[in-house]
Amino acid sequence: MVYCGRTGKGEARRVKAFDQARRRRSAPAVVRHLLVWLLAATLVAGAGGYLVAWAMGRALFSTVELVMGEAGRFDVLLQLQQERRREALAAASELLARQFPGSAVKEGPSAAGSTVLLVSLPERWRNARTFERLDRELAGVPGLVSWLPLVEPSVTVSRVHPALERDLQGWLERQEEVDFTFFRGSDLVVVLKEAGRLDRFNEKLKRRIGTYRVVRAVLPGQAVDAGLARRAAQALEEQGWAGSVVYAAPATEGAGAGTVRWVERMRDFFVSYATLARIEASEAARDTPLRVGEEVRVGGAPAQVVAFDGRQGLAVLAEESGAQDLLGKPVEVRRASGELAGTAVVDGGRIRIQAALDESEALLNRLEQAGGSWEEALHSAQQAARQLEQTIGRIEQAAEDLSRLSASSSDPARDTLVALALSVLLGRRDSTATPGDATRSVARLQQQLQELRARLDAYQKTDLRDLKNSIQTLRQSLPEIDGREVASALDLLEKSEAEPLAAPEGVEIVLRTGEDRPPETSRLKQALERGLETSKVRVYTSPAATASPSARATVMQVVERARSAGAALAVAGIVVWTLFNDWAAVGAAIQAERRGRRRAAGRAARLLSAGIGVLAGATMALVAGMALLGREAWIWPVALAVLGAVAGWLSGWLGHRLSPVDADAVEAARAMSMEGGAILETVVAPAVRPWLLSLTSSRRPPSGTRFGAPPAKNGRLLSSAAVSDGAPATFREAALAAYSLVKYYGAQKVLDGLSLSVTRGETVVIMGQSGCGKSTLLRCFKGLIEPDAGSVRIFGQDLWSLPDAQRRALAGRVGLVFQRPQLIAHLSVLQNVALAALGSGASWPEAYERAWHWLSVLEMARFASRRPAELSGGEGQRVAIARALAAEPDILLWDEPTSQLDPMLAADLLDLMEELIRRLRTTMLVVTHQPRFGARVAHRLVLMDGGRVVEAGPPRRVLAAPASDVGRRLARLAAM
């Protein structure tokens, strides 16, 4: 066989693969390609994400081990007294060897008078009973300071209320994430099976604990007993929220009750010293209660609400100058809109002191100017001094409370409260003040007050000026309180009392609300006040337990999240890149099948490719994400699926722009009568993924044909019935004819009712300026572009009225040489030419022989094994001509193949074309800009302008006596 000897067995196998490809049916091949592509892309995405997660895990875990130290690799940490190290070490080692055989003990670092022992337990001892026994047995080890379980991952539940223990233990036993639990002192330690489940379990545990609330109700001056506890529990159970009381009993005073009392005294100082309006809400305004921070008007004076519980509240007046007129009087409280919100009484220790000092100074001024009763002035001054003495006593008590609170505080909220109170007492806005500064300031106030009282006791008329100076100095030394500071202080005070264990003795209630958001403290307070028939109830609330992951578990959780994020990003990157690279090419191939059709058909093709892209992208991302990240972290797979769907839509809809596949090669494949499956397998798949061709190719070609039935010469295979569309008989009988063609590109009309016919064996040359529709006309004849109106006939058959398979077969009898070579880049020269012969229905040996024959005729046989990129422009056009001739067309179209060449190459190619036209003597339609060439080869010269034929006839007549502007310009060009 000659074809094997000339190019080798490898080339023969490749050509044979084309023959096997063309024998498959189109639809199954396309589906097979898409499924293989989707499966391969999913595996690549999952494998890529797994590799990224593995690499990140290795790097992060090694970092964690480095940061956490050796403690992360042990199960128990023992802290021993340094002076009893040997005795404690021996006792601990003996206990572990006796009770837990196989345990390893390592002595850790010593610091601050203690030594650390690290214990590693065998796998069989890592259970709840072991740690419960350790909690009991380690108490007998001499010199043991403390012990800490290091088993991971774990969550510690602290401050578990006794009423919650049984319910919480039963709930934990039903959770699949939990390995085992044990108590260590008052803390419940929950050990999980995997670190990856920590996040989800922690959220579930917090929601479970969050449905319980401990409520401490304190009734000042009232005895607390079981009966009061029952009435308080009944008052809460009668409320409208879904819940129940699970525990109620009298409670003793908490460990932090002293701090609460100091906070209460601070509250009393602020409320009694500052100028405040005590608000009582009206019945009509209780449906829309006042809000903290809301601006109101109290007796016409502007004020701001700083506290409100639904019925009563406090407001700070913006200006104290007009507050003296309102002092002690009931006044209206109105919103900014003018709506009545209630009534208020304005009060404040500082404003009363200022009033007394103002009155004393006024009397002293009258005494100095016009004389008067010195006894009356002395009485007023002594009254102001007594009020000052009471105020300074309150300031002194506040300073003492601050000093005690600061010395015992480690809570950031309380520290902030101390700083706020200091700035109020000292009139300073910085954070450098200390309780000692407040104490010294109070001492100065006391000294000034003593001096004033001494002067009052030894008052003489001549000492009047000194007395006035003492009063002014004392006035200036009093602290200034801003309304915003009072609001901040009251807010912090409210937060600082939300701690039942710090409250004085009262009633302790454990409430299970059954709601995601338990009732607010104000609602609980109102319910208890109604049920207990008192308005003096103070309510403190807190959760019944608090849960927190261990430090190492938290770090491991961060590691797991980082691994998941890295894996998800890797999958997302692979999915997006694959879709934009691979699916854009597939989408371009799908759109190319409908390219050139009417607008609705082209849009339908884009919608089809975009829809399949959405399905493919979402499926690939979702499957890869779930396989890699699991169903528990569902948010990542869902996000990946959404990303894949968006990327699939964009790549499918914009495939013709994003595709890495050469659009010219796809058009050339369509010109060779390839179906979608052939284009996908032969052009698209090898260009983006070379291995797809081998994955989807069958070893034994099934029966059937891929390119359609081979066209018979002279139209014998096709039906001879003509479609009646009003076309003249001459058009129906011509080898090639166009009747009233109309084609729009957007709003631009490229063909405007054009009619043209070419008889058998005739060579027609079309000329005209660029943009007049010449190339569009040729593509309509070839079946690449569907006209918007009119008909195209080949050997009497209406091309665009036939089904797709018959239309491809009919268009296969027409060859087209493009302006550019439009070769398939990944195929050799011989393969490009042989592919066209296969498209005409030839077997692969015959296709090979045809390709070799025409390459030899065109002097391109020596380039048979080269790729298109290795050819020059002229050589590429010769290969394109050989490709068109290898299909043995009945009609040959030339679309100005010399337009992209330099003049010397163009002249050589024109000579070749002229020789082929004379030798082949077949029906030809030639588009050119060379009038002399056209005059030499044409039987008839057709001139086009504006999408119409403006002149036609023998070349000599048209160029000798042109009747159109186009003809006259061409005649002048030919005469040059």
Side-chain angles (χ1 to χ4, degrees), residues 169-188:
Q169 282 279 41
W171 180 81
L172 289 171
E173 290 175 359
R174 298 191 298 270
Q175 304 308 305
E176 61 178 10
E177 299 96 338
V178 177
D179 190 5
F180 60 89
T181 63
F182 63 91
F183 273 95
R184 177 181 170 270
S186 61
D187 294 341
L188 176 62

Side-chain angles (χ1 to χ4, degrees), residues 758 762-764 891-892 894 916-917 920 922-926:
V758 182
E762 184 183 17
T763 299
V764 175
I891 300 171
L892 190 57
W894 303 78
L916 288 172
I917 291 171
L920 294 175
T922 187
T923 305
M924 292 191 185
L925 189 60
V926 183

Side-chain angles (χ1 to χ4, degrees), residues 326-346:
L326 306 175
L327 195 65
K329 302 175 183 177
V331 293
E332 292 182 342
V333 178
R334 294 187 177 273
R335 298 179 185 268
S337 61
E339 177 188 357
L340 181 65
T343 59
V345 176
V346 178

Side-chain angles (χ1 to χ4, degrees), residues 282-301:
S282 62
E283 291 292 336
R286 288 182 183 176
D287 294 334
T288 56
L290 294 170
R291 301 185 309 276
V292 173
E294 183 177 355
E295 301 291 339
V296 295
R297 298 193 71 83
V298 177

Side-chain angles (χ1 to χ4, degrees), residues 88-264:
L89 178 59
S93 300
E94 190 273 333
L95 169 65
L96 292 170
R98 183 182 72 254
Q99 298 286 353
F100 312 106
S103 301
V105 181
K106 180 177 180 180
E107 186 173 352
S110 299
S114 64
T115 297
V116 170
L117 288 185
L118 296 171
V119 180
S120 177
L121 297 172
E123 187 65 34
R124 62 194 178 102
W125 296 118
R126 291 192 182 97
N127 52 53
R129 294 183 60 187
T130 295
F131 288 96
E132 290 172 355
R133 286 169 61 188
L134 280 172
D135 197 26
R136 295 191 303 268
E137 299 290 343
L138 288 175
V141 175
L144 179 70
V145 178
S146 65
W147 75 280
L148 181 69
L150 301 177
V151 60
E152 295 290 355
S154 66
V155 178
T156 301
V157 186
S158 305
R159 294 164 52 188
V160 182
H161 196 280
L164 182 62
E165 283 185 15
R166 181 176 298 178
D167 177 77
L168 186 59
Q169 282 279 41
W171 180 81
L172 289 171
E173 290 175 359
R174 298 191 298 270
Q175 304 308 305
E176 61 178 10
E177 299 96 338
V178 177
D179 190 5
F180 60 89
T181 63
F182 63 91
F183 273 95
R184 177 181 170 270
S186 61
D187 294 341
L188 176 62
V189 181
V190 183
V191 181
L192 306 183
K193 296 176 181 177
E194 298 176 10
R197 301 186 180 188
L198 176 64
D199 200 12
R200 179 170 176 266
F201 173 77
N202 201 31
E203 291 299 323
K204 286 168 57 178
L205 181 61
K206 286 182 178 179
R207 285 197 301 269
R208 182 72 182 186
I209 293 175
T211 60
Y212 289 87
R213 280 290 184 274
V214 177
V215 181
R216 178 75 69 94
V218 178
L219 289 77
Q222 187 169 348
V224 178
D225 55 15
L228 184 64
R230 284 195 300 271
R231 294 204 312 274
Q234 183 178 1
L236 293 183
E237 283 190 324
E238 290 175 353
Q239 296 309 300
W241 62 75
S244 59
V245 174
V246 297
Y247 174 84
T252 59
E253 183 173 273
T259 301
V260 171
R261 283 193 289 272
W262 297 339
V263 169
E264 289 299 326

Side-chain angles (χ1 to χ4, degrees), residues 717-946:
L717 182 66
L718 301 172
S719 171
S720 60
V723 179
S724 177
D725 56 1
T730 55
F731 283 88
R732 293 198 297 270
E733 295 170 357
L736 193 65
Y739 176 67
S740 301
L741 288 189
V742 176
K743 182 61 183 179
Y744 286 90
Y745 288 148
Q748 181 184 2
K749 184 185 285 188
V750 181
L751 297 179
D752 188 8
L754 182 144
S755 297
L756 177 67
S757 65
V758 182
T759 60
R760 294 175 186 269
E762 184 183 17
T763 299
V764 175
V765 173
I766 300 177
M767 301 185 70
Q769 62 184 358
S770 298
C772 67
K774 303 185 298 297
S775 296
T776 300
L777 175 62
L778 263 59
R779 280 168 166 77
C780 288
F781 280 137
K782 180 56 184 171
L784 300 177
I785 293 178
E786 181 181 7
D788 295 316
S791 64
V792 175
R793 294 180 178 277
I794 301 175
F795 298 113
Q797 300 297 306
D798 189 338
L799 180 67
W800 290 101
S801 67
L802 298 174
D804 285 351
Q806 295 185 32
R807 184 178 63 252
R808 255 191 309 272
L810 181 59
R813 300 178 65 182
V814 178
L816 174 60
V817 180
F818 298 95
Q819 290 184 10
R820 296 179 299 277
Q822 298 191 199
L823 302 175
I824 300 174
H826 65 276
L827 299 180
S828 67
V829 167
L830 184 63
Q831 290 168 343
N832 269 280
V833 179
L835 196 59
L838 287 170
S840 68
S843 63
W844 70 267
E846 183 184 353
Y848 172 83
E849 292 294 348
R850 284 192 204 174
W852 190 265
H853 167 74
W854 285 110
L855 288 173
S856 300
V857 169
L858 298 176
E859 300 178 354
M860 292 297 295
R862 66 182 185 278
F863 301 113
S865 60
R866 291 192 183 181
R867 303 292 184 198
E870 301 172 10
L871 304 177
S872 66
E875 292 167 348
Q877 282 292 26
R878 285 174 177 264
V879 174
I881 294 171
R883 179 181 61 187
L885 295 174
E888 296 186 352
D890 295 318
I891 300 171
L892 190 57
L893 310 178
W894 303 78
D895 187 10
E896 199 178 350
T898 62
S899 62
Q900 305 294 322
L901 304 178
D902 61 68
M904 295 181 64
L905 288 177
D908 293 341
L909 191 60
L910 288 174
D911 292 341
L912 174 63
M913 289 173 60
E914 185 173 354
E915 182 182 356
L916 288 172
I917 291 171
R918 296 186 190 282
R919 289 177 54 186
L920 294 175
R921 297 184 179 275
T922 187
T923 305
M924 292 191 185
L925 189 60
V926 183
V927 171
T928 182
H929 283 299
Q930 305 292 332
R932 293 180 180 178
F933 168 77
R936 289 197 304 271
V937 301
H939 295 109
R940 184 156 47 105
L941 187 61
V942 175
L943 305 184
M944 288 181 60
D945 189 19

